Amino acid sequence: MTVQGFCGPGFEDVRAEFERNFAERGEVGASVHVTVDGESVVDLWGGDAGGRPWTEETITHVWSCTKGATALCAHILASRGELDLDAPVTRYWPEFGRNGKEHTLVRHLLSHQAGLAAVKEPLPQDAMYDWALMTDVLARQEPFWEPGTAHGYHALTFGHLVGEVVRRVTGLSLAEFFEKEVSGPLGLDFWLTLPEDLEPLVAPTIPATPGATVSPLFVAATTRPQSMQALMLLNNGGYVVASNSREAHAAQYGAVGGMSNARGLAQMYRPLALGGSYNGVDLVSEEQIAVMSAVTSAGYDRMLLGPTRFSLGFLKANDRPAEEGDFMGLSEDAFGHSGMGGSIGFAAPAARMSFGYAMSRQGGGVGLNGRGQSLVDAVYRALGYRRAGGGWFR
């Protein structure tokens, strides 16, 4: 296996860790990309992409990294004054105000506080591909808790909730808005609905190997059949088990359906690491960057059954040990999102750095594992940061 691409001066340790992932940590196929001050300083790829070499153009399923793209769409509208994050959801989506959700705020959708972390009503096969069906179900559902009083990871419902608000404000589907305002202007390898002619570029997801660390979420889902965790994993219209299909790739699924690679992830976050703009593309204001980075919900997560920290739509550093698989050791200013099994994209504005890592073989848990964290750590070391506890500091 040969690693291809380039690694700029001072970032040689990133390449060393990337190669170590293949030699020692079970990597199959992956890419990593880093920008600093707007310039790409690391762009590496290698391994197998489903029986063919992983190339510069290979893309893969980045799972919940998609939430970062969806959240960005909402923040673009907020930065333009077209969406008030402190307004009730019913201002934009009147049908949502039923069964205890009348006072739910837009910010509750973004911060996983809406109480709709799973679907109670039995869903038919392929339900998650049907946008109207899913938004109707969520609009009439009673929440698991009073919105705003607790938080729990909305793993599979986040995209329909936030995306429907985007649709109501703009008149465009979430995928259309993302392409028009983000991926198109920035020239990203990032799709919320993958065109059929790009299907040959996809490296299929490989489930975590037996013996990988299992998240408490998966333990609860398999041992407590009536739990919220079981509903999330088992009542989703079959999406999780069919995620490698053409139908899944073509569907608009703003929680977990994004198709991208490390370059697409890092370059989506590049403007956010630079104050909101890059190369003439203005995504958000500098003031909005502060909103995107600020912690809004923290503590015990009712879905993940452990401590998590979120800003409005993005994950923040979490200092549990990396081997648990639900870890993200970042600097405190950083914000972004990991994807199930270990992919990640984020911006670190204080360092003017953005980062992306995408891979085909999943690890245990829904956060980072040793492969991704080793790359993140190498980048922070190259930038002169020091490790203290679970985070990175200058």
Side-chain angles (χ1 to χ4, degrees), residues 116-119 128 134 138 154-162 253 255:
L116 298 170
V119 178
M128 290 287 183
M134 287 302 303
L138 291 167
H154 286 46
L156 300 183
T157 57
F158 179 92
H160 290 101
L161 293 168
V162 177
Y253 202 175

Side-chain angles (χ1 to χ4, degrees), residues 41-384:
V41 297
V42 175
D43 187 24
L44 300 171
W45 61 88
D48 178 81
R52 60 189 185 278
W54 189 297
T55 72
E56 184 178 10
E57 295 183 328
T58 297
I59 55 177
T60 193
H61 192 174
V62 295
W63 294 88
S64 285
C65 293
T66 314
K67 292 182 175 71
T70 297
L72 175 56
C73 292
H75 283 283
I76 288 171
L77 295 172
S79 184
R80 294 174 180 174
E82 298 176 35
L83 175 63
D84 183 352
L85 302 182
D86 293 312
V89 175
T90 53
R91 177 182 298 181
Y92 310 102
W93 183 3
E95 302 90 336
F96 186 83
R98 289 179 276 174
N99 296 323
K101 306 193 302 299
E102 294 82 356
H103 304 295
T104 305
L105 305 181
V106 174
R107 66 169 42 248
H108 295 153
L109 304 184
L110 286 159
S111 59
H112 300 268
Q113 294 179 309
L116 298 170
V119 178
K120 299 177 182 180
E121 182 178 319
L123 294 174
Q125 186 69 22
D126 298 335
M128 290 287 183
Y129 305 155
D130 188 331
W131 188 271
L133 183 153
M134 287 302 303
T135 53
D136 286 348
V137 166
L138 291 167
R140 62 177 174 259
Q141 179 170 306
E142 180 180 353
F144 284 92
W145 62 82
E146 181 183 348
T149 63
H151 80 280
Y153 188 46
H154 286 46
L156 300 183
T157 57
F158 179 92
H160 290 101
L161 293 168
V162 177
E164 181 64 6
V165 172
V166 170
R167 189 183 75 83
R168 296 292 178 116
V169 172
T170 66
L172 300 173
S173 72
L174 177 65
E176 290 169 340
F177 184 80
F178 180 71
E179 182 177 2
K180 177 176 181 286
E181 301 291 344
V182 183
S183 63
L186 292 174
L188 302 181
D189 293 339
F190 202 139
W191 293 268
L192 298 189
T193 56
L194 186 70
E196 188 169 8
D197 63 328
L198 297 180
E199 196 68 34
L201 300 179
V202 175
T205 296
I206 303 170
T209 57
T213 302
V214 179
S215 167
L217 181 158
F218 297 110
V219 173
T222 54
T223 59
R224 293 160 45 197
Q226 303 306 313
S227 67
M228 184 168 61
Q229 292 76 15
L231 285 173
M232 187 275 290
L233 279 179
L234 302 177
N235 185 37
N236 55 52
Y239 178 84
V240 174
V241 297
S243 60
N244 276 327
S245 67
R246 169 63 198 153
E247 292 75 17
H249 298 166
Q252 180 177 232
Y253 202 175
V256 296
M259 307 297 292
S260 188
N261 51 33
R263 186 182 301 109
L265 289 167
Q267 293 185 0
M268 180 182 75
Y269 283 100
R270 174 161 55 184
L272 308 181
L274 303 176
S277 302
Y278 172 74
N279 200 27
V281 180
D282 300 324
L283 293 184
V284 297
S285 66
E286 287 195 46
E287 292 77 14
Q288 198 68 31
I289 296 293
V291 174
M292 298 165 84
S293 178
V295 175
T296 55
S297 51
Y300 185 77
D301 187 303
R302 292 196 178 187
M303 176 60 80
L304 296 181
L305 305 176
T308 56
R309 302 166 73 237
F310 293 94
S311 64
L312 290 176
F314 301 96
L315 273 170
K316 297 286 289 181
N318 191 5
D319 63 358
R320 285 193 287 172
E323 59 269 17
E324 289 191 20
D326 292 330
F327 172 78
M328 274 202 355
L330 310 177
S331 54
E332 185 54 31
D333 64 297
F335 61 94
H337 221 291
S338 60
M340 184 171 70
S343 54
I344 185 173
F346 69 91
R352 295 175 62 82
M353 179 266 285
S354 71
F355 179 98
Y357 164 67
M359 75 296 145
S360 56
R361 189 187 70 80
Q362 296 184 315
V366 296
L368 282 183
N369 52 61
R371 292 170 296 160
Q373 190 64 55
S374 70
L375 300 171
V376 171
D377 292 349
V379 172
Y380 276 117
R381 288 195 300 268
L383 294 171

Side-chain angles (χ1 to χ4, degrees), residues 20-31:
R20 192 168 294 128
N21 282 347
F22 288 96
E24 302 175 10
R25 301 179 182 123
E27 195 76 275
V28 173
S31 57

